[in-house]
Amino acid sequence: MPVKKKKPMAEKVKPVAKKKAVSSVDTAAAQKKVKLYQPVRGMKDILPKDDWYWSKIVDVAKNITRAYGYRYSEPPVLESASLFVKSLGKGTDVVDKEMYVFDDREGEKLALRPEFTAGVARSYISNGLLNNAQPVKMWMLGPLFRHDRPQAGRYRQFHQFDCEVIGEKDPVIDAELIVMAYNVIRDLGITPEVHINSIGTIEDRQNYTIELVGYLKSKRSYLSEESKKRILKNPLRVLDSKEEQDQEVIAEAPQIIDWLSAESKDFFMKVIEYLDELQIPYVLKPTLVRGLDYYSDTVFEIYSEQMIEGSQTALGGGGRYDGLLEQLGAREATPASGFALGVERIMLAMKELDQQAQGGPIKRDTIQNKIFFAQLGAQARRRSLFLIEQLRRVGIMVGSSLSKSSLKGQLEIANKQGSTHSIILGQKEVQDGTLIIRDMSSGVQEIIDQKRLEKHLRKLLEE
Ligand code: HAM
């Protein structure tokens, strides 16, 4: 029977919102005979309504990386496809199923980065960062691309906040990275739950894999189809299966911790001791192996404790990758460790918590101004431009809507922005060199000299 070849999803031309009610935008476009574009499947617009969440995540990430002495550093979005194949490994989902790979105009095989670590390792080597003081501590935030099946918390373009420490091996580095990931999640109002394990050295893993494959083969008939396929292809990943059917076999599988060399065991014990010392709670997960080939020794994932029942998706994960840089051509052993948190997943968790606390969706807005500047008339508008600019220069933020001319309309915006006071400048005030300050709740107004504006506002902002 001829096998019908399935077209890759990305090539399908999606009909434009067929079932949706026809909006006025659709009708207008139809009348003008213009094709209305939709985002590509799995790609998500970052919208102004999410500014509050997005900015908060970026602010927390910046504060924490500064506190721990990390510098911003970011590899390009495009790299040679083989860099990722070599680093993440054939047989991993990301390489086999999810990479966006294409030939560029010169015929070079390129990939949109599916993660940061391989690019950062390449960047460390090609920029000679080996000559910097070691270890080199770097952080980055940006878009990544994986052609996965889109669903809540899983997109084809998503963002990670990522930290990497390259050039030194010490359990204290791993503990510090785990604490940083923990602190970011906690500072965003989510209760973090850290899962941790050690997968030892390559040799430890090879010995363990022989034992594991033997065990899995003996239980083959109990396993899900996907796990059956993985027994030979990537047996460690069977331990990571979320299929209900696999859970009993996984629970009784031999544990990698029993196959660790004395050195790896000692390293892992130290990581855990440091976490205890720092009072960071964690759960030892003997089945945690992570889905990428470059890991060795410490591996960890971080979840939201509040969401852990309902969803199995990690907010982030990471671990040590001591062999990767040498594998990519570093001239000497260059140990490394790092983690990445998914920005969209964190945002979903924050929204979920907001909903739970408020009993429904809540609107969070970054545009909140305690003081609003309203103007009336062409001359007043010109003068307010100057006065608002002067206030901004001394760090005083005021709301304004200079494109609006009606006072009522402007005061409505002031109310929406939660302003307690509005400054009103009309024709008369421009002439007098004065301003009206209106208390938005009582409606009481007072007149002040324009020269006293900064002082007056500072007092109001302190209240
Ligand atoms: P990862 O576990 O593949 O690790 O990804 C880390 C996080 O990125 C996930 O926990 C999740 O929050 C987010 N993420 C992954 N795929 C998607 C997706 N399709 N949509 C939305 N969010 C997603 C790494 O990428 C490693 N490079 C981490 C690392 C850094 N290890 C050492 N250093």
Side-chain angles (χ1 to χ4, degrees), residues 151 168 194 266 282 304 359 365-366 381 389 441:
Q151 51 187 290
E168 221 165 71
V194 175
D266 182 53
Y282 54 83
S304 153
D365 207 338
T366 23
R381 179 179 299 179
E389 186 59 26
S441 49

Side-chain angles (χ1 to χ4, degrees), residues 115 117 146 153 155 160 164 290 294-295 314-316 338 342 345:
E115 57 114 54
T117 314
R146 295 184 192 177
Y155 312 107
Q160 283 180 350
E164 310 286 353
R290 306 274 300 136
Y294 52 58
Y295 289 114
L315 296 178
R345 294 233 181 124

Side-chain angles (χ1 to χ4, degrees), residues 74-84 99-102 108-123 126:
E74 192 191 325
V77 171
L78 284 178
E79 298 269 3
S80 290
S82 62
L83 168 71
F84 297 112
M99 272 223 291
Y100 278 90
V101 180
F102 63 95
E108 196 181 347
K109 209 164 252 336
L110 301 179
L112 289 176
R113 60 185 186 198
E115 57 114 54
F116 280 122
T117 314
V120 177
R122 195 270 311 133
S123 165
S126 41

Side-chain angles (χ1 to χ4, degrees), residues 57 153-154 158-162 181-182 184-186 188-195 290 300-308 311-318 339-353:
I57 296 170
R154 200 173 291 278
F158 61 99
H159 296 75
Q160 283 180 350
F161 158 61
D162 180 296
Y182 182 93
V184 170
I185 301 292
R186 188 209 48 205
L188 290 168
I190 303 165
T191 310
E193 180 162 308
V194 175
H195 293 181
R290 306 274 300 136
F300 68 97
E301 277 176 351
I302 192 155
Y303 292 81
S304 153
E305 202 180 68
Q306 292 102 328
M307 301 224 305
I308 211 138
S311 89
Q312 294 291 308
T313 45
L315 296 178
F339 72 83
L341 302 177
V343 176
E344 285 80 359
R345 294 233 181 124
I346 294 178
M347 211 148 84
L348 276 176
M350 288 167 77
K351 285 184 182 173
E352 168 103 11
L353 290 178

